[in-house]
Short mmCIF file of all heavy atoms in Angstrom, two decimals:
data_model
loop_
_atom_site.label_atom_id
_atom_site.label_comp_id
_atom_site.label_asym_id
_atom_site.label_seq_id
_atom_site.Cartn_x
_atom_site.Cartn_y
_atom_site.Cartn_z
N VAL A 1 -81.10 -0.15 36.83
CA VAL A 1 -79.76 -0.29 37.41
C VAL A 1 -79.10 1.09 37.40
O VAL A 1 -79.05 1.76 36.37
CB VAL A 1 -78.91 -1.30 36.63
CG1 VAL A 1 -77.51 -1.39 37.22
CG2 VAL A 1 -79.58 -2.67 36.64
N SER A 2 -78.60 1.50 38.57
CA SER A 2 -77.96 2.81 38.69
C SER A 2 -76.48 2.70 38.36
O SER A 2 -75.76 1.90 38.97
CB SER A 2 -78.16 3.36 40.10
OG SER A 2 -77.52 4.63 40.23
N VAL A 3 -76.01 3.50 37.41
CA VAL A 3 -74.61 3.50 37.00
C VAL A 3 -74.13 4.94 36.88
O VAL A 3 -74.92 5.88 36.80
CB VAL A 3 -74.41 2.77 35.66
CG1 VAL A 3 -74.78 1.31 35.78
CG2 VAL A 3 -75.24 3.42 34.55
N GLN A 4 -72.81 5.08 36.89
CA GLN A 4 -72.18 6.37 36.66
C GLN A 4 -71.41 6.31 35.35
O GLN A 4 -70.56 5.43 35.17
CB GLN A 4 -71.23 6.74 37.80
CG GLN A 4 -71.93 7.40 38.98
CD GLN A 4 -70.96 8.08 39.91
OE1 GLN A 4 -69.76 7.83 39.87
NE2 GLN A 4 -71.46 8.96 40.76
N VAL A 5 -71.71 7.25 34.46
CA VAL A 5 -71.13 7.24 33.12
C VAL A 5 -70.45 8.57 32.87
O VAL A 5 -71.03 9.63 33.14
CB VAL A 5 -72.21 6.99 32.05
CG1 VAL A 5 -71.58 6.93 30.67
CG2 VAL A 5 -72.98 5.71 32.35
N ASN A 6 -69.22 8.53 32.39
CA ASN A 6 -68.55 9.74 31.93
C ASN A 6 -68.09 9.54 30.50
O ASN A 6 -67.84 8.42 30.07
CB ASN A 6 -67.39 10.12 32.84
CG ASN A 6 -66.33 9.04 32.89
OD1 ASN A 6 -66.59 7.89 32.58
ND2 ASN A 6 -65.12 9.40 33.27
N ALA A 7 -67.98 10.64 29.78
CA ALA A 7 -67.67 10.57 28.36
C ALA A 7 -66.86 11.80 27.97
O ALA A 7 -66.62 12.71 28.77
CB ALA A 7 -68.94 10.48 27.52
N VAL A 8 -66.43 11.82 26.71
CA VAL A 8 -65.70 12.96 26.16
C VAL A 8 -66.30 13.28 24.79
O VAL A 8 -66.67 12.38 24.04
CB VAL A 8 -64.19 12.64 26.05
CG1 VAL A 8 -63.94 11.44 25.16
CG2 VAL A 8 -63.43 13.85 25.53
N VAL A 9 -66.45 14.57 24.52
CA VAL A 9 -67.06 15.06 23.28
C VAL A 9 -66.03 15.89 22.53
O VAL A 9 -65.36 16.75 23.12
CB VAL A 9 -68.32 15.91 23.57
CG1 VAL A 9 -68.91 16.44 22.27
CG2 VAL A 9 -69.36 15.09 24.32
N TYR A 10 -65.92 15.64 21.23
CA TYR A 10 -65.03 16.40 20.35
C TYR A 10 -65.89 17.20 19.38
O TYR A 10 -66.73 16.63 18.66
CB TYR A 10 -64.10 15.47 19.57
CG TYR A 10 -63.21 14.62 20.43
CD1 TYR A 10 -63.61 13.36 20.85
CD2 TYR A 10 -61.96 15.07 20.83
CE1 TYR A 10 -62.79 12.57 21.65
CE2 TYR A 10 -61.13 14.29 21.63
CZ TYR A 10 -61.55 13.04 22.03
OH TYR A 10 -60.75 12.27 22.81
N PHE A 11 -65.69 18.52 19.36
CA PHE A 11 -66.47 19.37 18.46
C PHE A 11 -65.63 20.55 18.04
O PHE A 11 -64.58 20.85 18.64
CB PHE A 11 -67.77 19.84 19.13
CG PHE A 11 -67.56 20.83 20.24
CD1 PHE A 11 -67.60 22.20 19.99
CD2 PHE A 11 -67.32 20.40 21.53
CE1 PHE A 11 -67.40 23.11 21.01
CE2 PHE A 11 -67.12 21.30 22.56
CZ PHE A 11 -67.16 22.66 22.30
N ARG A 12 -66.09 21.23 17.00
CA ARG A 12 -65.41 22.43 16.50
C ARG A 12 -66.43 23.41 15.97
O ARG A 12 -67.54 23.03 15.58
CB ARG A 12 -64.40 22.07 15.40
CG ARG A 12 -65.00 21.41 14.20
CD ARG A 12 -63.91 20.94 13.24
NE ARG A 12 -63.16 22.05 12.71
CZ ARG A 12 -63.44 22.65 11.56
NH1 ARG A 12 -64.45 22.22 10.81
NH2 ARG A 12 -62.73 23.65 11.13
N VAL A 13 -66.04 24.67 15.97
CA VAL A 13 -66.90 25.73 15.43
C VAL A 13 -66.70 25.81 13.93
O VAL A 13 -65.57 25.97 13.45
CB VAL A 13 -66.57 27.08 16.10
CG1 VAL A 13 -67.43 28.19 15.49
CG2 VAL A 13 -66.79 27.01 17.60
N VAL A 14 -67.78 25.69 13.18
CA VAL A 14 -67.71 25.78 11.72
C VAL A 14 -68.29 27.09 11.20
O VAL A 14 -67.95 27.51 10.09
CB VAL A 14 -68.44 24.58 11.08
CG1 VAL A 14 -67.70 23.29 11.37
CG2 VAL A 14 -69.88 24.48 11.54
N GLU A 15 -69.14 27.74 11.99
CA GLU A 15 -69.72 29.03 11.61
C GLU A 15 -69.55 29.98 12.79
O GLU A 15 -70.39 29.98 13.71
CB GLU A 15 -71.18 28.90 11.22
CG GLU A 15 -71.41 28.02 9.99
CD GLU A 15 -72.86 27.98 9.59
OE1 GLU A 15 -73.51 29.05 9.64
OE2 GLU A 15 -73.36 26.90 9.24
N PRO A 16 -68.49 30.79 12.81
CA PRO A 16 -68.22 31.64 13.98
C PRO A 16 -69.35 32.63 14.27
O PRO A 16 -69.62 32.94 15.44
CB PRO A 16 -66.93 32.37 13.58
CG PRO A 16 -66.30 31.51 12.54
CD PRO A 16 -67.43 30.88 11.80
N GLY A 17 -70.01 33.13 13.22
CA GLY A 17 -71.09 34.09 13.44
C GLY A 17 -72.21 33.51 14.27
O GLY A 17 -72.69 34.11 15.23
N LYS A 18 -72.65 32.31 13.93
CA LYS A 18 -73.71 31.65 14.70
C LYS A 18 -73.25 31.31 16.11
O LYS A 18 -74.03 31.41 17.07
CB LYS A 18 -74.17 30.39 13.98
CG LYS A 18 -74.96 30.63 12.71
CD LYS A 18 -75.45 29.32 12.14
CE LYS A 18 -76.28 29.54 10.89
NZ LYS A 18 -76.78 28.25 10.33
N ALA A 19 -72.00 30.89 16.26
CA ALA A 19 -71.51 30.51 17.58
C ALA A 19 -71.50 31.69 18.55
O ALA A 19 -71.63 31.49 19.76
CB ALA A 19 -70.10 29.93 17.46
N ILE A 20 -71.35 32.91 18.03
CA ILE A 20 -71.33 34.09 18.90
C ILE A 20 -72.73 34.68 19.05
O ILE A 20 -73.11 35.13 20.13
CB ILE A 20 -70.36 35.14 18.34
CG1 ILE A 20 -68.92 34.59 18.33
CG2 ILE A 20 -70.41 36.42 19.17
CD1 ILE A 20 -68.40 34.19 19.70
N ILE A 21 -73.52 34.66 17.97
CA ILE A 21 -74.82 35.35 17.99
C ILE A 21 -75.92 34.46 18.57
O ILE A 21 -76.75 34.91 19.37
CB ILE A 21 -75.18 35.81 16.57
CG1 ILE A 21 -74.15 36.82 16.08
CG2 ILE A 21 -76.57 36.43 16.55
CD1 ILE A 21 -74.33 37.22 14.63
N GLN A 22 -75.96 33.19 18.17
CA GLN A 22 -77.10 32.35 18.53
C GLN A 22 -77.06 31.84 19.97
O GLN A 22 -78.11 31.47 20.51
CB GLN A 22 -77.15 31.14 17.57
CG GLN A 22 -77.32 31.52 16.12
CD GLN A 22 -78.64 32.23 15.86
OE1 GLN A 22 -79.63 32.01 16.56
NE2 GLN A 22 -78.66 33.10 14.87
N VAL A 23 -75.90 31.76 20.57
CA VAL A 23 -75.80 31.24 21.94
C VAL A 23 -74.83 32.12 22.72
O VAL A 23 -73.87 32.66 22.15
CB VAL A 23 -75.33 29.77 21.91
CG1 VAL A 23 -73.95 29.65 21.27
CG2 VAL A 23 -75.34 29.16 23.31
N GLU A 24 -75.09 32.27 24.02
CA GLU A 24 -74.28 33.19 24.83
C GLU A 24 -72.86 32.67 25.01
O GLU A 24 -71.89 33.35 24.69
CB GLU A 24 -74.94 33.40 26.19
CG GLU A 24 -74.20 34.40 27.07
CD GLU A 24 -74.92 34.61 28.39
OE1 GLU A 24 -75.97 33.99 28.61
OE2 GLU A 24 -74.41 35.41 29.21
N ARG A 25 -72.72 31.45 25.56
CA ARG A 25 -71.40 30.83 25.73
C ARG A 25 -71.52 29.41 25.16
O ARG A 25 -72.04 28.51 25.83
CB ARG A 25 -71.00 30.81 27.20
CG ARG A 25 -70.66 32.19 27.76
CD ARG A 25 -70.13 32.08 29.19
NE ARG A 25 -71.18 31.64 30.10
CZ ARG A 25 -72.02 32.47 30.73
NH1 ARG A 25 -71.90 33.78 30.54
NH2 ARG A 25 -72.93 32.00 31.54
N TYR A 26 -70.99 29.24 23.97
CA TYR A 26 -71.21 27.97 23.28
C TYR A 26 -70.50 26.80 23.94
O TYR A 26 -70.96 25.66 23.87
CB TYR A 26 -70.81 28.10 21.80
CG TYR A 26 -69.36 28.35 21.54
CD1 TYR A 26 -68.45 27.30 21.41
CD2 TYR A 26 -68.86 29.64 21.40
CE1 TYR A 26 -67.11 27.52 21.16
CE2 TYR A 26 -67.53 29.88 21.15
CZ TYR A 26 -66.65 28.82 21.03
OH TYR A 26 -65.32 29.05 20.79
N LEU A 27 -69.38 27.04 24.63
CA LEU A 27 -68.70 25.96 25.32
C LEU A 27 -69.55 25.41 26.46
O LEU A 27 -69.75 24.20 26.60
CB LEU A 27 -67.35 26.44 25.86
CG LEU A 27 -66.23 26.62 24.83
CD1 LEU A 27 -65.00 27.25 25.50
CD2 LEU A 27 -65.86 25.30 24.21
N GLU A 28 -70.05 26.31 27.28
CA GLU A 28 -70.90 25.88 28.40
C GLU A 28 -72.20 25.28 27.91
O GLU A 28 -72.69 24.28 28.46
CB GLU A 28 -71.16 27.06 29.33
CG GLU A 28 -72.00 26.70 30.55
CD GLU A 28 -72.24 27.89 31.45
OE1 GLU A 28 -71.67 28.97 31.19
OE2 GLU A 28 -73.00 27.74 32.43
N ALA A 29 -72.78 25.87 26.87
CA ALA A 29 -74.04 25.35 26.34
C ALA A 29 -73.86 23.94 25.78
O ALA A 29 -74.69 23.04 26.00
CB ALA A 29 -74.58 26.29 25.27
N THR A 30 -72.77 23.72 25.06
CA THR A 30 -72.52 22.39 24.51
C THR A 30 -72.27 21.38 25.61
O THR A 30 -72.71 20.22 25.53
CB THR A 30 -71.32 22.44 23.56
OG1 THR A 30 -71.55 23.44 22.55
CG2 THR A 30 -71.10 21.10 22.89
N SER A 31 -71.58 21.79 26.67
CA SER A 31 -71.32 20.88 27.78
C SER A 31 -72.62 20.46 28.47
O SER A 31 -72.83 19.27 28.74
CB SER A 31 -70.38 21.55 28.79
OG SER A 31 -70.21 20.75 29.93
N GLN A 32 -73.48 21.41 28.75
CA GLN A 32 -74.75 21.08 29.41
C GLN A 32 -75.63 20.21 28.52
O GLN A 32 -76.27 19.26 28.99
CB GLN A 32 -75.48 22.37 29.79
CG GLN A 32 -74.77 23.22 30.82
CD GLN A 32 -74.65 22.52 32.16
OE1 GLN A 32 -75.52 21.77 32.57
NE2 GLN A 32 -73.54 22.76 32.85
N LEU A 33 -75.65 20.53 27.24
CA LEU A 33 -76.45 19.72 26.31
C LEU A 33 -75.90 18.31 26.20
O LEU A 33 -76.67 17.34 26.12
CB LEU A 33 -76.47 20.40 24.94
CG LEU A 33 -77.32 19.71 23.87
CD1 LEU A 33 -78.78 19.63 24.29
CD2 LEU A 33 -77.19 20.45 22.54
#
């Protein structure tokens, strides 16, 4: 069955060093994931 689903995700950065070093743009990466 084909359906359209939308959702909302709540998240926060807990380790700023990893958020900047490990991924290029963490907002876009989290959205795509």
Side-chain angles (χ1 to χ4, degrees):
V1 178
S2 179
V3 297
Q4 276 195 344
V5 182
N6 61 339
V8 59
V9 178
Y10 300 91
F11 70 93
R12 60 187 296 266
V13 178
V14 293
E15 298 184 41
K18 289 184 178 181
I20 297 300
I21 297 173
Q22 299 297 330
V23 61
E24 183 178 0
R25 290 186 292 272
Y26 65 88
L27 286 174
E28 182 180 354
T30 305
S31 175
Q32 295 296 326
L33 183 60

